[in-house]
Amino acid sequence: METLAMHISNGIINGPVAGVFAAVALAALTFCVLRGRRDLDDRLAPMAGLVAAFIFAVQMLNFPIFTAGVSGHLLGGALAALLVGPWVGALCVSVVLIVQALVFGDGGVAMLGLNITNMALLGTAAAYLLIAGLLRVLPRTPAGLAVTAFVSALVSVVVASQGFVVQYWLGGTTDLGGNLTGLAGTMAGVHLLIGIGEGLITATTVATVAKVRPDLVYALRALKPATAPAPVPAVGGVR
C-alpha cells in the first residue's frame, strides 16, 4: 500500500522503465528551460522562487488517507501554472522533487524521472490546459480565478496519479494479478480527496494574489480572453 503515495520509492518500478522516464523527464525539462527563459522578467523570477518555496513547504506535510497506511500530500502543479506559467512552473516543481529526494529521502533518487514526469510534467500540463480553457469562459475576477484554480488543481492531481498507474503497468516490480483497474481506481479515489484539499488551498492562494496584485498572476497576463469579432460598420447603404 505504500506504493499509493505519490513519491515513488526505489524498487517499485524496474530499472529500464525508470531509465526511459528519466530520459523523458530530462528532455522535457530542457525544453521547459528554453521556453521558460522567454517568460522570465522582473516579476516572474522572484515569483518563481516564492512558488517553489511554497510548494516545498506544503509537499512536506504528509497526511494519512483512511487507515490503510497510505499518505498523500499536495503537488502544486496548478498553483505553479497559474502564477508562473507551465514552463517555469514545471521547473519549480521539479526542483522541489529533486531537493526532497536528495536531501530528505522523499522518493527514490533512481525514480526521479518517474516522479518528475507525474508531478511536475503531467500535473502541470493538465492544470494549464484546463486553466487555458476555463479562463476563456469564466469571468476574470478573483471568484472566476478561484473556480479555475480549484478545478485545475483537482484534475491535475488525479491525472498525476494515473501517470503512476501507467508506469506500474509498464514496469511494476510486484505482480498485481491483472488487477490494474483496481490500482487505477484506488489511486484515483485517494487522490481525488487530496485534489479537493489542494484545490481549496490553490483557489484561496491565487484569488488572494489576484486581489492584491493581479499583474503577478501569469495566467491573467498570458492568456487572452475570448473576444467576439468586431462588427463591420455599414458604409454607403445596403447593396
Side-chain angles (χ1 to χ4, degrees):
M1 296 302 293
E2 291 179 356
T3 61
L4 296 179
M6 276 305 300
H7 279 79
I8 303 172
S9 301
N10 288 334
I12 293 177
I13 307 294
N14 64 36
V17 172
V20 169
F21 277 95
V24 170
L26 181 60
L29 292 180
T30 300
F31 183 75
C32 288
V33 169
L34 297 176
R35 291 296 301 267
R37 290 176 62 183
R38 305 178 187 177
D39 296 332
L40 284 176
D41 54 24
D42 293 339
R43 289 176 297 185
L44 195 63
M47 178 60 74
L50 292 174
V51 167
F54 183 80
I55 293 174
F56 180 85
V58 297
Q59 281 202 9
M60 294 299 289
L61 300 175
N62 291 294
F63 51 90
I65 301 296
F66 303 127
T67 59
V70 179
S71 66
H73 60 76
L74 307 185
L75 302 187
L79 177 69
L82 280 160
L83 294 180
V84 297
W87 317 114
V88 177
L91 293 173
C92 288
V93 179
S94 298
V95 169
V96 171
L97 295 175
I98 292 170
V99 172
Q100 287 178 343
L102 296 178
V103 179
F104 297 96
D106 196 358
V109 175
M111 304 291 113
L112 263 175
L114 300 163
N115 286 321
I116 288 174
T117 299
N118 293 338
M119 291 183 272
L121 301 179
L122 287 180
T124 305
Y128 195 73
L129 288 174
L130 269 174
I131 292 164
L134 290 173
L135 285 182
R136 293 182 64 85
V137 296
L138 293 176
R140 295 183 170 228
T141 60
L145 197 61
V147 173
T148 300
F150 179 84
V151 174
S152 60
L154 173 61
V155 173
S156 69
V157 171
V158 177
V159 169
S161 73
Q162 297 309 296
F164 168 76
V165 176
V166 173
Q167 293 165 352
Y168 202 88
W169 172 65
L170 292 173
T173 56
T174 303
D175 185 10
L176 296 178
N179 193 25
L180 192 67
T181 303
L183 175 63
T186 303
M187 288 290 290
V190 167
H191 288 88
L192 181 63
L193 297 178
I194 296 173
I196 292 173
E198 173 150 351
L200 293 173
I201 293 176
T202 303
T204 302
T205 304
V206 174
T208 301
V209 174
K211 288 180 181 178
V212 180
R213 290 286 303 273
D215 60 301
L216 295 180
V217 180
Y218 177 93
L220 294 180
R221 301 196 312 268
L223 298 173
K224 304 301 181 183
T227 56
V232 179
V235 179
V238 179
R239 297 182 64 181

